[in-house]
Amino acid sequence: MISAKGYAAHNQDAALELYSFERKEPGDYDVLIDIIYCGICHADVHQSKNEYGNTKYPLVPGHEIIGRIRSIGEKVSKFKEDELVGVGYFILSCGHCPSCITQEQQFCDNGITPTQNGKLSDGTFTKGGYSDCIVVNENYVLSVPETLNQPGAAPLLCAGITTYSSLKHNKVGKGHKVAILGLGGLGHMAVKFAASFGAEVTVLSSSAAKEDDAQRLGAHHFVNTSDKEQFASLANHFDFIVDTVSAKHDYNTYLNLLKKDGTMILLGVPPEPSTLHAHALTGKRRKVTGSFIGGIEETQEMLYYCAKHKITADVELIRPDEINEAFERMVKGDVKYRFTIDMQKL
Ligand code: NAP
Ligand code: ZN
Ligand code: ZN
């Protein structure tokens, strides 16, 4: 076994603490990665606090991982020692269902194994990237271009691919008016990608203080959602709304901002359900859809796209002993725009 250390939540009310554990020895097709940086996704907060009711403790969160390969299994053919690599939301899928065959492993009929809190065949649960190393099958490892800023590249493995994939799948681009609802980790990546794809981007935010940043990130317009007059003027306006809000909110209010045949793409996963009024859809033939991270091939494509277009997340780099404070700030919406943990300071 390989000794590892990281930060773990031991129950839903406790702060994360330093934690020692063991990882399995790499098998023939596995790589052992020394983790350099790990982003903090709001899903880590939801899970640490058991907001979905399925958390197995101790939980080591983290699925926005950048690191270098320490060693490789005998049959590994895709990677070499010392290469810069990434690991995202999942580390395994069945490999043979229709979704896996078409490189959309995130929708695996037999269920993906998430990088954190995922059940393994021996009954144990996966431990994520708030740690010093991880062992992953080479087919679920991404190659990270050396030209990318590394702390800013870590969040691409979840916030990046989630927004990229949702925009690509819905063919968002030139000629579209797109609203990004919530300017956090996912939201700020959605702004960057939507602008890069040629759309006209409006940020809908509950934080007036984020206006200057929104423009800097590439948005063309900014609307404070508490400004009732401005909000009302946007009725029937957008082709797409990308909803990245992490807390319960009223979808109907925002659906009314979509024009005929407009689409609301749900990315945020609030723990509590919301009511949807049919007339918010019927009157203008509007659609609601969702999107979930992205497949391995698309994640690799996104990383190359980011290297080519010089896109990374705007991050605040923190030490591992600052994780709990970062969680608290994230819940308050006080993050510009992703926390990345420097795992070398563990
Ligand atoms: P985040 O950085 O905390 O951003 C969420 C943003 O939502 C906040 O910055 C805030 O933006 C807004 N917000 C928060 N509470 C709100 C409230 N009560 N009312 C209105 N707006 C509020 O979180 P994140 O990491 O981007 O994740 C966002 C959500 O996506 C989470 O639920 C996460 O679990 C989920 N997620 C989904 C996927 C997927 O594949 N679908 C992948 C990753 C994450 P403003 O200050 O601008 O209002
Ligand atoms: Zn995530
Ligand atoms: Zn599958």
Side-chain angles (χ1 to χ4, degrees):
M1 298 296 264
I2 291 168
S3 42
K5 57 184 176 170
Y7 265 72
H10 290 272
N11 66 63
Q12 64 185 52
D13 301 315
L16 276 72
E17 289 175 357
L18 200 54
Y19 172 64
S20 295
F21 59 103
E22 290 186 324
R23 296 216 183 257
K24 66 163 190 168
E25 288 286 343
D28 284 352
Y29 294 97
D30 292 333
V31 300
L32 169 60
I33 302 166
D34 285 320
I35 298 175
I36 307 173
Y37 296 111
C38 186
I40 298 184
C41 176
H42 207 112
D44 302 343
V45 179
H46 290 314
Q47 266 183 23
S48 297
K49 297 179 187 300
N50 197 21
E51 291 177 2
Y52 299 128
N54 65 351
T55 304
K56 300 289 177 207
Y57 297 101
L59 172 82
V60 178
H63 55 269
E64 295 186 331
I65 298 167
I66 296 276
R68 279 200 193 274
I69 296 186
R70 190 197 303 177
S71 64
I72 59 172
E74 270 182 26
K75 295 190 174 145
V76 166
S77 60
K78 295 182 177 163
F79 297 99
K80 296 191 185 64
E81 276 176 26
D82 209 37
E83 269 189 67
L84 189 66
V85 291
V87 179
Y89 190 81
F90 59 97
I91 53 146
L92 213 54
S93 65
C94 84
H96 54 74
C97 74
S99 294
C100 283
I101 287 167
T102 53
Q103 280 291 316
E104 292 189 314
Q105 298 92 342
Q106 72 272 34
F107 304 121
C108 176
D109 288 347
N110 298 300
I112 52 165
T113 304
T115 306
Q116 65 198 53
N117 202 43
K119 193 168 187 183
L120 293 163
S121 52
D122 64 1
T124 62
F125 287 82
T126 54
K127 297 192 166 42
Y130 295 8
S131 59
D132 57 354
C133 65
I134 192 164
V135 177
V136 184
N137 178 295
E138 63 169 338
N139 291 328
Y140 298 86
V141 174
L142 288 310
S143 174
V144 176
E146 293 277 359
T147 53
L148 286 171
N149 166 279
Q150 288 177 19
L156 298 178
L157 276 304
C158 179
I161 182 58
T162 300
T163 50
Y164 180 93
S165 179
S166 66
L167 295 168
K168 280 277 179 185
H169 185 76
N170 286 285
K171 300 185 171 53
V172 175
K174 282 193 177 59
H176 289 140
K177 287 186 164 64
V178 180
I180 309 301
L181 176 57
L183 193 60
L186 265 59
H188 94 292
M189 289 311 305
V191 169
K192 291 188 185 204
F193 285 130
S196 173
F197 297 164
E200 183 181 326
V201 181
T202 301
V203 167
L204 304 177
S205 171
S206 61
S207 311
K210 293 180 182 173
E211 179 160 6
D212 290 346
D213 289 335
Q215 316 274 342
R216 182 179 53 76
L217 294 165
H220 305 94
H221 314 281
F222 179 91
V223 172
N224 179 348
T225 47
S226 60
D227 181 337
K228 291 205 168 62
E229 206 175 307
Q230 207 182 7
F231 195 83
S233 73
L234 293 174
N236 310 318
H237 183 78
F238 296 108
D239 297 285
F240 294 96
I241 298 175
V242 181
D243 183 338
T244 74
V245 174
S246 51
K248 187 178 178 182
H249 56 293
D250 179 17
Y251 295 128
N252 308 289
T253 322
Y254 300 102
L255 280 166
N256 284 317
L257 306 188
L258 286 173
K259 59 169 75 154
K260 177 164 75 73
D261 289 323
T263 303
M264 183 159 184
I265 307 170
L266 300 183
L267 298 182
V269 190
E272 296 155 32
S274 256
T275 308
L276 183 67
H277 295 299
H279 61 72
L281 301 179
T282 53
K284 290 261 185 279
R285 207 164 53 195
R286 298 173 177 123
K287 297 182 274 288
V288 179
T289 185
S291 196
F292 178 46
I293 42 174
I296 295 296
E297 204 171 272
E298 193 177 33
T299 306
Q300 191 62 67
E301 172 194 307
M302 180 265 322
L303 287 166
Y304 291 147
Y305 182 91
C306 288
K308 186 172 174 200
H309 296 270
K310 298 188 170 42
I311 294 174
T312 49
D314 287 26
V315 304
E316 184 175 333
L317 195 58
I318 62 164
R319 296 186 312 268
D321 63 7
E322 295 174 307
I323 291 171
N324 294 298
E325 193 189 326
F327 272 26
E328 282 171 27
R329 285 182 52 195
M330 195 167 209
V331 171
K332 288 189 263 175
D334 174 22
V335 45
K336 291 186 170 182
Y337 280 88
R338 200 55 145 187
F339 292 110
T340 291
I341 315 162
D342 185 347
M343 296 314 313
Q344 298 165 115
K345 300 241 164 83
L346 198 62

